[in-house]
Structures are given as C-alpha cells and as structure tokens.
C-alpha cells in the first residue's frame, strides 16, 4: 500500500479521500490555494502545501506546482478527486513518467472516454447500447441533414470534447439545422479547443441512470448497481438516488452485467461510471466518467462498500477486496447536493457560515468540509456539502430525509436546503415519477 498520498482537490471530496487514507494508515498531503488555507482538509491532513493563488488555473489545475508539492513531501501517489485534473490524461502521463501513481485509470482509458465520439464507438464495440445517431464527427450540413432525417427530429448536436452539461444544442426541425451546426461547432472550438461535434436522437422524457463500475486493471471488473440522477437543473445533477425507482430487478441486473463485462473487456482499472439515458424500457449510453463521482456515496450506502478504499487498493496493485457476489443491495439511499446558492434564483452565496448544525441519527451521513466560522470562498463551485440518507425502503428513506433536512441549520449564507424541503414532500418525487426535465418545469412553475 502507499506510504503517502497527495490529494489534488479541495472541499468535501478532499476530506472524503483523506478519511479513506487515514483508515488505511496512509499519510496524507493536502494542497491548497491561498483562499483555502483554513479549509477542513488542510487542517486534518498530516502535511499541507500552498500551491498558488485562488484562481483554479493557478492552483488546483497547476500541474507544475502540484508536482513540486509531491516532490517536497515525498508522496508516492496522487488522488485527483473529481473535476480539476481528474480526467486529464496528460496529468496521468506526467505522473507515470515520474513514477508517481495516479489513483485512477490509465491515461489511455481517460483519453478514449474523454472524447465522446471515441467513447461511443468503444461502448458500441463492447456491447453497450448507444443512442442512435451519426457514426462519428459531422462537419457538413448535408451530412447533418441526412443523419437527422434518418433518426428523426428532434436531434441533439453535441461537442465531442464537451462536459459539465455544456456544448449541446437541440435541433427541432430541418430549417434550424444549418445555423445550429455552425453555432455548436464554433462554440465547441472556443470552449474546448476542439470543434468536432456529433449528432444523436434527442430523447424527450428520459431518466438519467448510471452504473457504478470498478475494474482491477487485470481483466477483472464488477458493477455496483445503478444511481438515478434524473433530477437536474441545466444538465447538472441536484438529487441522486440508488436504486432507481424506474427499474425492476431484472432490468437492473441486465444492464449491470453488460457494464461489468464491458469493464472486463476494456481491462479498466479503478472506479468509473457508465452513464445512460433510459426511456421506454431501453438504455442508451451517453458517456463514461473515468473517476469518482460526486454522487458515489449513495452507492456506498446501498452496498456498504467504501469506493475510495477500493480505488486505493486497486491503484496499489492489490486488486479489489470484493467480487460481484459480495456486492449485495440493501435498502435505498438519497443524496441532496447542498449548494451555497439562493434556493430559487440559484445565485451563488459565498461568505461566512455563522451557525452550523448538521443532522445526525440512524442512516444519516453528511459529507462536507464546512464548519461554523468557515468563510466560503467565491472562487469555486458552490457545492458545500452532501446530505445522504439510507433506509430500508424508498418510503422510509424519504421520511428520514425530510427529518434530516429539518434538523440541518446553516446560517450566514443562502443554501439549497429549502428547495429540498419542498421536493421531499412533492407528489411526483414521492412516487419517483420524474424525468430529466421535471425539475426545470417544476422551478418554472414555482417562479411564475
Ligand atoms: P456532460 O458530459 O456535459 O455531462 P452528457 O452527455 O453526460 O454531457 O449529457 C448531460 C445531460 O444532457 C444528460 O444527463 C441529459 O440531461 C442531457 N442529454 C444528453 N444527451 C441527450 C440526448 N440524446 N437526449 C436528451 N437529453 C440528452
């Protein structure tokens, strides 16, 4: 096992990784920007190194400074968390060249899955069902029109290098195509430095269902069931649950098996997520994330498997501690992303937390790096914590969530807690009858 791990991230995920390291007896190094000198992960790490000013590009994305911190502290591995450098193949290459372990998959797998066109081709080859669409990149309007008329409107044009819900445009009819193709290509070029786009069928009322997978890098691979992340605002997840209220056991097992086989076929190493849209009983692959996800705790709660612990073991060459048969489903879990934002306008609300009281009790988990007196810096995303609840059934889970939300007090800044209090009692949320457009419609009606 590693002697010392450097955590190249901040906030709740840095703390999450630190906890797993401590339980394995691994020394931890926190890196931080000047804006994060008082962050919890910095206080709890064995060592910490300031790597630059607040702007992410000068600190958390600054490979040179992170490598220097690694050298100074003698860390033998780096965990990138999510976001920042977690899906940066060049970073993984640099670490390999310096004999430092990247806790994640190979640079090659990051590269393949980071290009959505390549990812889709690879998925298809591995037997994963994909959304009908163009075979690859589409450059000319004639070709776009031909593909769209074959699959039928509406279609969606997506940037091959897109991410974070950006670089997508829905096209409703032939006459919108030319303009939309031009706009998405130039926007993709400007935003991602790659103007390649492709076309796929736009699904009208899908759910977003993703499968957690884990590979040992030696041909062994398992799935850890699904998460339903259909509750989204601007393509960003807000509430995630496991298992999905839309799947029965047979469907769940079938897609899980397909994903586990694909991971074995790839020879994938570490944790990953295969994302699908699910409509009318069919799964359609959209992308694979080659890292730990924000919403990984719901999977941990229903399987009782520590995913970061498994990542560390696999990266250290020790393989996984579980086989497919050990991944036993128990109960239901829901996660709410608590953002420091106004609950209906979603305007960020950085500043000092003047009072903080997290909920507790059976089946309640709070992953957060904040504390009373902590000043939320304005430089990063507004996620300040995650409330995760687990119970025997979905019904019991909703009741527990409602109780936990009532206990949760954060003062001094606005948070999205009031939004979740409304959602948990909503009739559609109670029955689990919601698709990826549900929240936008709900918010539009509420703010009208
Ligand atoms: P990103 O990498 O930016 O997260 P994804 O390909 O994962 O992009 O898509 C993000 C979200 O965009 C999906 O969860 C879904 O809400 C929407 N989306 C993507 N592809 C389609 C599609 N073919 N039809 C309908 N919605 C889509």
């Amino acid at each position: 096992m590693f002697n010392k791990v450097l955590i190249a991230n901040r906030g709740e995920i840095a703390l999450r990784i630190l906890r797993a390291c401590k339980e394995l007896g691994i020394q931890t190094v926190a890196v931080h920007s000047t804006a994060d000198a008082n962050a919890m992960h910095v206080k709890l790490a064995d060592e910490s190194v300031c790597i630059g000013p607040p702007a992410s590009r000068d600190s958390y994305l600054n490979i040179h400074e992170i490598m220097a911190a690694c050298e100074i502290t003698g860390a033998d591995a780096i965990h990138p968390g999510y976001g920042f450098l977690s899906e940066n193949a060049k970073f993984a290459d640099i670490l390999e060249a310096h004999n430092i372990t990247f806790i994640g998959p190979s640079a090659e797998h990051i590269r393949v899955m980071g290009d959505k066109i390549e990812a889709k081709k690879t998925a298809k080859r591995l037997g994963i069902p994909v959304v009908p669409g163009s075979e690859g990149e589409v450059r000319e309007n004639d070709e776009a029109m031909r593909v769209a008329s074959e699959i039928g409107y509406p279609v969606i044009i997506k940037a091959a290098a897109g991410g974070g819900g950006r670089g997508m445009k829905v096209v409703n009819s032939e006459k919108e195509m030319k303009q939309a193709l031009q706009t998405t290509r130039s926007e993709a070029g400007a935003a991602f430095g790659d103007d390649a786009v492709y076309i796929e069928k736009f699904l009208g009322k899908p759910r977003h269902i993703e499968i957690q997978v884990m590979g040992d890098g030696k041909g062994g691979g398992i799935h850890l069931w699904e998460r339903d992340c259909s509750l989204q605002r601007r393509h960003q997840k807000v509430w995630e649950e496991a298992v999905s209220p839309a799947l029965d056991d047979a469907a769940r097992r079938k897609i899980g098996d397909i994903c586990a086989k694909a991971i074995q076929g790839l020879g994938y190493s570490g944790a990953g997520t295969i994302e699908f849209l699910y409509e009318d009983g069919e799964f359609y692959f959209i992308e694979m994330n080659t890292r730990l996800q924000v919403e990984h705790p719901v999977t941990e709660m229903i399987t009782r498997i520590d995913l970061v612990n498994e990542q560390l073991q696999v990266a250290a060459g020790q393989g996984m501690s579980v086989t497919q048969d050990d991944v036993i489903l128990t109960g239901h879990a829901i996660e709410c992303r608590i953002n420091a934002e106004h609950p209906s306008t979603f305007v960020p609300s950085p500043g000092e937390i003047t009072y903080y009281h997290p909920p507790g009790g059976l089946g309640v988990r709070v992953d957060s790096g904040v504390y009373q007196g902590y000043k939320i810096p304005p430089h990063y995303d507004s996620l300040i914590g995650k409330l995760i609840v687990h119970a025997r059934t979905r019904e019991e889970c909703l009741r527990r969530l409602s109780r936990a939300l009532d206990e949760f007090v954060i003062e001094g800044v606005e948070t999205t807690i009031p939004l979740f209090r409304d959602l948990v009692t909503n009739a559609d949320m109670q029955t689990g009858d919601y698709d990826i457009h549900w929240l936008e419609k709900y918010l539009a009606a509420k703010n009208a």
Side-chain angles (χ1 to χ4, degrees), residues 116 120 131-132 155-156 158-159 161-168 170 192 198-209 229-230 232 234-237 275-277 279 284-289 291 436-437:
K116 292 186 173 189
K120 211 171 159 181
V131 192
V155 298
I156 183 167
K158 296 169 76 169
R166 295 178 311 137
M168 287 182 267
V170 180
F192 314 112
Y198 62 108
I199 293 178
E200 59 187 28
K201 173 131 199 80
F202 180 72
L203 301 166
K205 48 177 180 52
R207 297 186 76 108
H208 174 116
I209 297 180
C229 312
S230 302
Q232 299 181 354
R234 300 195 174 161
H235 302 304
Q236 298 274 359
K237 298 159 189 171
E275 298 195 332
F276 296 92
L277 294 177
E279 189 171 88
Y284 303 99
F285 170 86
I286 44 173
E287 67 166 341
M288 176 168 180
N289 292 319
R291 54 170 166 85
I436 60 168
H437 305 298

Side-chain angles (χ1 to χ4, degrees), residues 86-89 92 102 104-115 290:
S86 61
E87 289 174 300
N88 186 319
F102 176 75
S106 66
E108 186 206 332
H109 285 156
I110 298 175
R111 224 165 245 132
V112 168
M113 293 303 169
D115 178 331
T290 50

